[in-house]
Amino acid sequence: MREIYLDNSATTKIDSRVLEKMINKMDIYGNPSSIHREGQKAKMLIETSREKIAELLLGKPKEIIFTASGTEANNMAIKGAAIQNIKKGKHLISSKIEHSSVLNSFKELEKQGFEVSYIDADENGVVKLDELKKAIREDTSLISIMHANNELGTLQPIKEIGEICSKYDIIFHVDAVQSIGKLQIFPKNLNIDLLSFSAHKFYGPKGIAALYICAGNNLKKLLHGGAQERNRRSGTENTLGIYGMAEAMELAYSTMFEESKREMEIRKYLESNLKNKIDNILINGENAHRLPNITSLTLRKCEAQSLIFNLDIKGICLSAGSACSSGALSPSHVLDAINLSKLDSKSTIRISLGRFNTKADIDYFLEKLIDAVKLEREMAII
Ligand code: PLP
């Protein structure tokens, strides 16, 4: 059966070129902390990978710390920065549309006596800058705002927030898990102190991610143990994963502009066909600047979960809202934040394109979606 994968924001398939390179290094097994030859072989692979990643971000190798996931990088950045900067104050700022790894890190800090302001987003899925400015206090020590939202693809005013943070001497963390490899982002030019990103979102392996920590930032560590990663993140390094991440990132950067343009064209084709061929739909975040690959689509009088099952039978993979909440039936906090009704939220799917999708995939998807919507609406469950 034909398989069409339209869930690239949940994760991407590892690129065969990256996989092949990783397989060729599979025999590197030494512990990078060991001073003998096997250890040093592994260490060398890690350090050249670190240099590659740092260069793509216009940063320094010592500013890149490897973690096991974007979730860990976000936890490390937020909890570490809050505790590190406690003398400045216990007030923190984030938004209502952040990923659960950010929101739940802040929830934990609230339990420890920190106060968090969660800024609203407008109906297009963009964080309200005026509200954010008003929320700043003397004791605000950290602002964490994502670069691109994972459910809508909407881009956030990172440049403006960076300027605000610089002016008020506030640490700025950016969750760039969805945008790295799709858009250029140079932390130093944007006054970003901490930047999280994860390899499995850009055709690299799973279980490996990184946190950029601006030189001079004295982030408190989360994991205690050995002195790996300049004593900032203990645990034996995932040598092969780090290598795969750097190769995947280099590949993504080498084709970023053409690929973003290509995906944007395919999405335009998808969205114009959706509007022409299916009535009673909404494209959420349509009027904002968005990543090139995400369409958040509300199909009224359809139940997203059941659409997903029906499409899966036809070989099409996609998500309802974000992947993390798609197993659960609770409505998406992001769709709620942009004031989508509970009913519309339950009728919303996320189509996320990627490197391996073609226009022909979209034609097949449209054909099957139109059938599935017709069936749903005839049954009129909601
Ligand atoms: N931040 C955003 C915006 C995400 O979309 C995700 C994953 O979907 C994460 C963080 C978590 O990354 P990871 O899956 O590597 O833990």
Side-chain angles (χ1 to χ4, degrees):
M1 186 177 49
R2 187 167 179 177
E3 188 186 299
I4 306 219
Y5 186 76
L6 297 174
D7 204 13
N8 289 279
S9 291
T11 195
T12 54
K13 181 179 175 179
I14 190 164
D15 192 295
S16 57
R17 290 164 286 184
V18 174
L19 184 62
E20 200 178 315
K21 285 187 172 179
M22 286 175 72
I23 290 169
N24 287 335
K25 300 280 187 206
M26 209 83 178
D27 60 341
I28 295 189
Y29 66 91
N31 187 324
S33 298
S34 303
I35 56 170
H36 52 62
R37 69 187 64 204
E38 282 305 333
Q40 289 310 295
K41 250 196 248 171
K43 174 108 183 133
M44 184 86 84
L45 198 60
I46 291 175
E47 294 317 318
T48 50
S49 302
R50 198 190 307 277
E51 278 165 25
K52 212 172 246 188
I53 293 174
E55 204 175 306
L56 294 171
L57 297 176
L58 299 186
K60 302 186 190 93
K62 66 174 184 187
E63 295 176 316
I64 305 297
I65 299 299
F66 293 108
T67 65
S69 62
T71 298
E72 185 193 330
N74 282 342
N75 270 262
M76 183 177 172
I78 294 162
K79 294 174 187 169
I83 293 163
Q84 159 210 349
N85 219 14
I86 206 160
K87 272 201 188 123
K88 177 153 197 269
K90 292 180 93 176
H91 178 243
L92 317 166
I93 297 178
S94 191
S95 85
K96 290 186 179 165
I97 59 166
E98 300 298 313
H99 186 261
S100 55
S101 56
V102 166
L103 290 175
N104 289 333
S105 294
F106 280 112
K107 292 272 172 275
E108 277 306 304
L109 289 168
E110 281 178 306
K111 287 183 204 160
Q112 292 171 35
F114 286 87
E115 200 185 326
V116 187
S117 301
Y118 298 96
I119 307 302
D120 286 305
D122 63 20
E123 71 281 7
N124 292 315
V126 179
V127 169
K128 290 182 176 168
L129 206 51
D130 284 350
E131 197 180 307
L132 182 140
K133 282 183 195 160
K134 280 187 202 139
I136 292 173
R137 310 189 322 208
E138 194 109 308
D139 60 341
T140 305
S141 58
L142 167 72
I143 297 183
S144 174
I145 300 289
M146 66 197 337
H147 188 198
N149 182 266
N150 47 301
E151 294 191 36
L152 306 167
T154 50
L155 302 179
Q156 305 307 317
I158 294 307
K159 185 170 179 287
E160 292 81 352
I161 301 172
E163 282 161 9
I164 294 169
C165 287
S166 167
K167 182 170 166 196
Y168 294 102
D169 194 22
I170 297 168
I171 295 183
F172 186 25
H173 167 244
V174 174
D175 172 356
V177 168
Q178 286 292 338
S179 61
I180 285 273
K182 297 189 189 80
L183 299 176
Q184 226 162 21
I185 181 162
F186 301 128
K188 206 135 285 162
N189 297 352
L190 296 166
N191 299 309
I192 295 170
D193 299 291
L194 305 160
L195 184 95
S196 315
F197 48 108
S198 183
H200 74 96
K201 306 287 187 184
F202 49 85
Y203 312 91
K206 298 195 188 359
I208 184 70
L211 181 65
Y212 160 90
I213 308 176
C214 172
N217 185 299
N218 214 3
L219 198 73
K220 275 265 182 268
K221 64 192 273 187
L222 207 62
L223 298 182
H224 298 90
Q228 290 93 347
E229 296 294 280
R230 296 173 182 273
N231 203 18
R232 306 194 101 160
R233 196 269 186 183
S234 300
T236 302
E237 297 89 338
N238 174 0
T239 308
L240 208 60
I242 291 170
Y243 173 65
M245 179 174 188
E247 293 302 315
M249 196 158 153
E250 189 178 47
L251 187 60
Y253 271 64
S254 69
T255 54
M256 187 152 55
F257 294 111
E258 307 90 88
E259 182 53 23
S260 289
K261 196 164 160 252
R262 194 189 72 87
E263 286 178 19
M264 213 171 318
E265 273 163 18
I266 298 181
R267 184 179 62 185
K268 206 168 154 196
Y269 177 73
L270 164 71
E271 293 184 353
S272 67
N273 270 283
L274 287 169
K275 284 179 193 162
N276 289 337
K277 294 183 177 158
I278 308 178
D279 60 9
N280 224 349
I281 66 163
L282 279 179
I283 294 173
N284 303 301
E286 191 185 8
N287 299 321
H289 289 298
R290 284 182 291 164
L291 285 177
N293 68 319
I294 296 182
T295 296
S296 168
L297 178 67
T298 302
L299 294 143
R300 289 192 167 124
K301 294 201 186 309
C302 291
E303 217 258 322
Q305 298 283 331
S306 123
L307 268 182
I308 287 163
F309 286 127
N310 282 333
L311 291 169
D312 184 42
I313 292 167
K314 309 284 181 207
I316 296 163
C317 307
L318 44 75
S319 288
S322 83
C324 312
S325 58
S326 66
L329 284 169
S330 57
S332 141
H333 67 278
V334 174
L335 299 178
D336 194 34
I338 62 166
N339 280 330
L340 210 66
S341 70
K342 293 240 176 329
L343 203 59
D344 279 349
S345 178
K346 278 187 171 175
S347 299
T348 301
I349 57 173
R350 178 185 66 182
I351 304 147
S352 50
L353 306 170
R355 185 179 288 170
F356 307 115
N357 292 128
T358 62
K359 236 177 182 179
D361 290 348
I362 298 306
D363 287 330
Y364 181 82
F365 165 64
L366 283 165
E367 186 192 317
K368 301 302 172 201
L369 180 70
I370 289 165
D371 289 349
V373 169
K374 194 162 171 265
L375 193 70
E376 274 283 310
R377 286 182 176 167
E378 276 167 9
M379 285 159 57
I381 298 168
I382 57 173

